[in-house]
């Protein structure tokens, strides 16, 4: 997709709304752009992506001919890039989804994680403060900040107890955001988003790793069964199992499309907040810099927890994903009860086939420190901003497996 330099963008006539979204090649950034195109018809949308030798535009290829969307070169770790953006585009909203987002890599690239997820947020806040203090800033916070949780479910009052360089970097960014909000009256927020997934999820994250591999295994099984002569039942065949780490970890999974709606609500709290409807009425549903100042100054802008409020283990996700693909399996552990030898085996007509292993454990995927369980309490955003997510766990798994099945068919 054609990518411009920031100084070459076409801006709307004076007074037109400009929204900048970073990380648009990723899952959330691309969904955010789709959401804004649909729900904020007056906005010009600029998407930021970093230059790569070989581009990775799969998640935004559908925007190629969208007249209200422009793609620009943007690198969050280069403060000049941030300043240039604020100087030329002067966005009304800056929605930051760019990050080193893979927790497991944050131990291997701790400094780069900190630079991208924390130091760069300071650069964004400084650039906003100096060049357009009325710009509304969203930074993508995470339930990983809660880490080694002390209470379940976790709401906005849970203390930060990160377990990874990633979690620590997001907690640091949150503190900076609060400081800039309180010191300079900048409308800056950071939601605690619990895990959210979908067909655009990167294939290293556990859900998409499972769904893509379930589809691969389904094809392997179909090929094996189709190659048998008619009427002959044989299990003299194998599949390459999925290798996973800690399958006992529990996550609170939502649909990424529901989450971007929550983000937009957090960025427009006076419009959606049921207890402050007067603001929205007085401003006709649009904010003015004066209202923003008052709203932020009175401490009414808040960070919210966004979650499905239900959690499941990785093991549950595996079982459900195979079920959606029409494959029955069963978990087995050896007599000595060693978790590393646990496996998920193929079941035919109710009978387990021990030699056909669908999933096995590989300690390589264990982390130096694990967040064992996360479950959110999102009652505040539901009550105050009217957020109402649409997709539950089973629907999400079905959506992902079905999408991956359809991709294979296209190839
Ligand atoms: P993602 O799919 O990995 O997307 C991250 C995006 O950031 C990609 O477009 C990536 O570009 C971009 N990026 C990385 N480094 C950059 C840099 N230096 N300059 C510019 N762009 C850069 O992640 P996601 O799931 O959409 O998550 C979005 C945000 O939400 C992240 O901040 C993540 O930490 C946070 N979050 C996600 C979840 C979740 O469950 N998905 C939950 C809580 C918080 P490339 O394509 O070039 O790599
Ligand atoms: O899918 P994951 O890699 O996501 P994780 O670590 O929860 O992080 C995601 O959610 C955060 C919100 O809480 C975001 F802030 C972050 O950006 C990211 O989007 O791993 C989920 C769980 C972990 O407990 C992990 O140990 O799955 C476990 N797991 C077990 N086997 C595995 C694997 N994770 C991966 N990626 N690969 C495995 O083979």
């Amino acid at each position: 997709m054609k990518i411009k330099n920031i100084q070459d963008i076409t801006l709307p006539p004076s007074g037109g709304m400009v929204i900048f979204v970073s990380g648009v090649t990723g899952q959330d950034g691309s969904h955010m752009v789709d959401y804004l195109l649909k729900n904020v018809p007056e906005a010009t949308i600029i998407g930021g992506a970093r230059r790569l030798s070989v581009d990775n535009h799969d998640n935004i290829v559908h925007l190629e001919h969208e007249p209200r969307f422009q793609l620009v070169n943007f690198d969050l770790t280069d403060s000049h890039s941030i300043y240039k953006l604020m100087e030329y585009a002067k966005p009304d909203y800056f929605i930051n989804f760019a990050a080193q987002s893979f927790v497991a890599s944050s131990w291997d690239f701790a400094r780069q994680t900190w630079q991208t997820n924390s130091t760069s947020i300071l650069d964004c806040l400084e650039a906003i403060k100096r060049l357009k203090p009325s710009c509304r800033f969203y930074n993508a916070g995470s339930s990983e900040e809660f880490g080694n949780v002390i209470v379940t479910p976790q709401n906005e009052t849970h203390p930060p107890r990160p377990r990874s360089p990633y979690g620590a970097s997001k907690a640091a960014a949150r503190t900076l955001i609060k400081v800039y909000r309180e010191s300079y009256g900048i409308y800056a927020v950071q939601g605690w988003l619990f895990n959210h997934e979908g067909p655009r999820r990167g294939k290293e994250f556990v859900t998409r790793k499972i769904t893509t591999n379930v589809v691969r295994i389904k094809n392997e099984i179909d090929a094996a069964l189709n190659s048998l002569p008619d009427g002959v039942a044989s299990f003299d065949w194998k599949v390459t199992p999925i290798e996973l780490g800690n399958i006992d970890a529990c996550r609170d999974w939502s649909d990424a499309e529901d989450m971007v709606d929550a983000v937009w609500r957090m960025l427009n709290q006076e419009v959606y907040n049921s207890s402050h409807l007067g603001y929205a009425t007085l401003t006709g549903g649009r904010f003015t810099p004066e209202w923003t100042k008052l709203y932020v100054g009175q401490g009414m802008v808040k960070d919210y927890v966004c979650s499905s409020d239900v959690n499941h283990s990785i093991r549950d996700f595996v079982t459900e994903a195979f079920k959606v693909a029409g494959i029955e399996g069963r978990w087995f552990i050896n007599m000595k009860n060693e978790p590393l030898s646990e496996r998920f085996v193929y079941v035919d007509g109710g009978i387990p086939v021990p030699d056909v292993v669908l999933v096995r454990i590989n300690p390589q995927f264990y982390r130096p420190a694990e967040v064992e369980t996360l479950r959110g309490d999102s009652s505040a955003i539901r009550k105050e901003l009217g957020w109402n997510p649409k997709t539950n766990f089973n629907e999400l798994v079905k959506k992902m497996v079905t999408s991956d099945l359809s991709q294979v068919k296209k190839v």
Side-chain angles (χ1 to χ4, degrees), residues 56-76:
N56 55 348
H57 294 173
D58 287 2
N59 285 341
I60 48 170
V61 77
H62 61 286
L63 300 171
E64 175 103 53
H65 302 295
E66 171 53 59
R68 288 170 50 218
F69 176 75
Q70 299 169 73
L71 186 66
V72 299
N73 276 313
F74 175 80
D75 194 320
L76 189 64

Side-chain angles (χ1 to χ4, degrees), residues 25-28 50 56 75-76 99 101 141 166 170 193 196:
T25 55
Q27 173 185 259
D28 293 5
R50 56 182 168 171
N56 55 348
D75 194 320
L76 189 64
S101 67
Y166 171 88
K170 292 285 185 180
L193 268 58
H196 46 278

Side-chain angles (χ1 to χ4, degrees), residues 101 142-143 166 195 201 204 206 209 245 249 251 367 370:
S101 67
S142 168
S143 46
Y166 171 88
N195 297 51
R201 186 59 143 155
E204 271 185 306
V206 78
K209 177 173 173 180
R251 289 293 181 272
R367 295 174 179 182
E370 177 64 285

Side-chain angles (χ1 to χ4, degrees), residues 377-393:
D377 167 6
S378 60
S379 47
I381 191 168
R382 289 173 195 241
K383 185 163 166 261
E384 294 173 19
L385 303 186
W387 182 56
N388 183 17
K390 313 262 180 308
T391 307
N392 68 25
F393 174 76

Side-chain angles (χ1 to χ4, degrees), residues 313-328:
S313 63
I314 313 302
R315 189 196 303 271
D316 291 343
F317 196 104
V318 166
T319 312
E320 185 61 26
F322 274 105
K323 193 169 139 201
V324 171
I327 300 167
E328 194 190 343

Side-chain angles (χ1 to χ4, degrees), residues 5 16 18 24 81 93 102 129 152 164 167 195-196 213 217 224-225 229 248 269 283 285 301 309 323 364 373:
N5 284 320
V18 176
V24 288
S81 180
Y93 294 86
F102 192 50
K129 184 189 100 188
T152 293
S164 61
N195 297 51
H196 46 278
N213 278 290
I217 288 176
L225 296 181
D248 291 315
Q269 293 181 27
T283 60
V301 168
D309 301 356
K323 193 169 139 201
Q364 180 199 325
T373 188

Side-chain angles (χ1 to χ4, degrees), residues 275-292:
S275 58
H276 301 295
L277 274 179
Y279 285 88
T281 315
L282 281 166
T283 60
R286 284 284 306 274
F287 66 86
T288 62
E290 292 70 35
W291 281 111
T292 300

